[in-house]
Amino acid sequence: IFRVLQLIVLVYVVVFSVVLEKAYQEYEPVVAETYSKLKGAADLNSSIVDANDLVIPPLMENAIFITTNVVTNHEVQNSTCPLYDAKNLSMYDCHDPVCKEGDYVQFQNYGMYTGTCLPLTLNGTKMSKCAVRGWCANVDPKTNVGELPNDPDPDDTPTSIVDGLENWSLFLRLNYAFPAFDITKNSAPKLLPGVNQWYIKEILEGAGVQWNDVKGKGAIILMNAKFECDFNPGSDDCKPTWKFSRLDKTDPNQKFSTGFNYYESQYDPANQTHRITSKRYGLKFEFNVSGRGGKFSIVNLLIALGSGLALLSVASLVTDFILSNLWSKKEHYKKIRNAELDEDDLNRNVGSLHPDEDVNDLSDDPETAAKKEALLKALPTGATTTV
């Protein structure tokens, strides 16, 4: 049993720890930055647009955004308009207690209640609604009355969706380094599809997403590059493994708060009370780089071997436990294990019978010889000593 356990420990140390887990390697985490660029042309409301129109903002840290859908409103500051909720038209009726003058509309950007009412015709139905003062859209300059900014469900506005965007290409260069080894590289020695260049539809498919499912509301896509590099002689070049996933919708049944959008406003230089506000839906690609590089280290190898050899002591403990508790002849084993009588112990026992005589001079004494023989017979079967 003892030898079998020793063999198991040695196999674990050599095969698993040293060979498979590469315990002989010294590792250094990768340090990286990204450079990205989108290219292509598309159609928006019968007009040709390109990256300069849709990649806004043009520069983001470890990310890039491209507009897939846009809703635009021309707004005027301090104008008034009737407030309504398209999903619940019974809300905000004239003189509704919630429409208190001077209070702000909660959870919305609509502005402040005026305490008055304004007429509203919606889908052929006339009604009277609470008035708000804020940035209203399509304002009549004579009355300073307009309407709430248009904010439809993006899936219901196909005319504002950019057509052909899924065939654009994304170029992504990784500049990465392993400082401890003084190694610096980048992932673009040349154009390599699947390594530093992809079509948008390829990225979406890699994340398990279809273009038609995200073109209206957008999505957040994580592009993760993982390095596992070996810098020893004869090893392959250090290249990342790419994995794509969707971050904004992790449950297929999720309905609330999916996609990605933001607002931007452009103010009229001649009149700062007028602005054009655009709500941009789109795809936000986020880039993450992780991993490590390894190189042979004699120090790490010796530490791994030393730790493995220390485990050999476990073999004796396990063997003793098995023989003491599980073996059929465990009582016999315990007698042998506890028999620690050697020649010195025997001589001390004999010497105690003749404290004033040299023990070695008693070897020919018949009485002493008989006592020695009696002590030897008292040893458990299998235990041996030398007299």
Side-chain angles (χ1 to χ4, degrees):
I1 295 176
F2 178 65
R3 298 304 179 192
V4 172
L5 291 175
Q6 282 187 319
L7 179 61
I8 292 174
V9 171
L10 287 174
V11 170
Y12 167 79
V13 172
V14 175
V15 177
F16 180 78
S17 181
V18 175
V19 177
L20 298 180
E21 291 296 312
K22 297 183 179 181
Y24 57 84
Q25 295 271 61
E26 176 187 358
Y27 289 102
E28 171 75 358
V30 65
V31 178
E33 68 170 3
T34 61
Y35 168 79
S36 58
K37 184 179 292 186
L38 279 163
K39 288 188 176 181
D43 178 83
L44 176 61
N45 295 328
S46 300
S47 297
I48 299 299
V49 292
D50 59 19
N52 296 317
D53 303 302
L54 302 180
V55 181
I56 301 174
L59 185 63
M60 302 178 72
E61 184 177 358
N62 293 323
I64 193 169
F65 173 82
I66 182 168
T67 304
T68 62
N69 186 5
V70 58
V71 177
T72 301
N73 286 283
H74 294 260
E75 303 171 349
V76 177
Q77 191 175 29
N78 289 325
S79 56
T80 57
C81 46
L83 178 63
Y84 70 94
D85 186 341
K87 295 180 180 180
N88 186 0
L89 292 178
S90 64
M91 293 183 63
Y92 309 117
D93 280 339
C94 190
H95 306 303
D96 190 316
V98 75
C99 305
K100 185 179 179 180
E101 181 181 1
D103 286 351
Y104 294 96
V105 181
Q106 293 186 346
F107 313 117
Q108 299 291 347
N109 295 329
Y110 296 144
M112 178 187 293
Y113 294 109
T114 65
T116 60
C117 301
L118 286 173
L120 174 68
T121 301
L122 196 63
N123 298 326
T125 302
K126 295 182 178 181
M127 56 194 82
S128 180
K129 292 293 184 180
C130 298
V132 292
R133 180 168 61 90
W135 287 91
C136 297
N138 302 324
V139 176
D140 184 339
K142 296 180 179 179
T143 62
N144 200 35
V145 175
E147 59 189 36
L148 287 179
N150 185 32
D151 190 13
D153 187 314
D155 292 330
D156 296 335
T157 55
T159 57
S160 63
I161 293 177
V162 183
D163 184 39
L165 196 63
E166 69 273 22
N167 294 315
W168 282 33
S169 65
L170 170 65
F171 171 75
L172 178 59
R173 185 185 73 209
L174 302 180
N175 303 310
Y176 55 98
F178 302 88
F181 305 140
D182 196 24
I183 295 176
T184 302
K185 294 176 175 287
N186 76 67
S187 64
K190 59 181 179 179
L191 203 58
L192 298 170
V195 176
N196 53 38
Q197 184 188 48
W198 301 266
Y199 287 111
I200 287 181
K201 61 182 178 182
E202 292 177 335
I203 300 173
L204 295 177
E205 289 171 359
V209 178
Q210 297 299 317
W211 164 249
N212 287 333
D213 295 334
V214 298
K215 64 182 181 181
K217 293 184 178 180
I220 303 175
I221 305 297
L222 175 65
M223 302 178 64
N224 185 67
K226 185 174 183 180
F227 286 90
E228 195 64 43
C229 302
D230 190 343
F231 297 119
N232 293 308
S235 300
D236 294 336
D237 194 16
C238 182
K239 295 180 180 179
T241 300
W242 286 96
K243 183 179 180 181
F244 309 141
S245 59
R246 184 176 180 180
L247 298 182
D248 64 291
K249 185 177 182 180
T250 56
D251 185 346
N253 298 319
Q254 180 181 347
K255 300 296 183 181
F256 178 73
S257 187
T258 61
F260 182 83
N261 66 78
Y262 73 93
Y263 292 89
E264 68 164 354
S265 295
Q266 296 177 325
Y267 292 83
D268 185 348
N271 188 350
Q272 292 292 310
T273 63
H274 290 67
R275 71 184 185 186
I276 299 176
T277 298
S278 299
K279 186 177 184 180
R280 291 182 177 269
Y281 299 86
L283 299 174
K284 183 183 180 185
F285 297 102
E286 296 190 354
F287 314 127
N288 181 64
V289 182
S290 61
R292 61 183 184 174
K295 206 171 187 180
F296 176 79
S297 169
I298 186 64
V299 174
N300 286 15
L301 176 61
L302 294 177
I303 291 175
L305 293 176
S307 301
L309 293 176
L311 290 176
L312 291 176
S313 61
V314 176
S316 61
L317 296 176
V318 174
T319 302
D320 181 70
F321 176 81
I322 293 175
L323 294 178
S324 299
N325 298 276
L326 305 178
W327 192 31
S328 60
K329 299 180 180 180
K330 58 185 178 182
E331 296 301 329
H332 179 67
Y333 168 74
K334 290 178 181 179
K335 289 181 180 180
I336 297 175
R337 183 191 64 185
N338 296 329
E340 298 178 351
L341 187 63
D342 56 14
E343 183 177 1
D344 291 337
D345 295 326
L346 183 59
N347 286 334
R348 281 194 293 273
N349 283 316
V350 175
S352 66
L353 301 175
H354 303 274
D356 297 329
E357 300 182 43
D358 188 348
V359 173
N360 294 324
D361 293 339
L362 300 175
S363 58
D364 295 330
D365 182 358
E367 182 182 354
T368 303
K371 292 180 181 291
K372 283 187 175 183
E373 185 177 355
L375 288 170
L376 288 173
K377 289 181 179 180
L379 288 174
T381 303
T384 59
T385 187
T386 302
V387 181

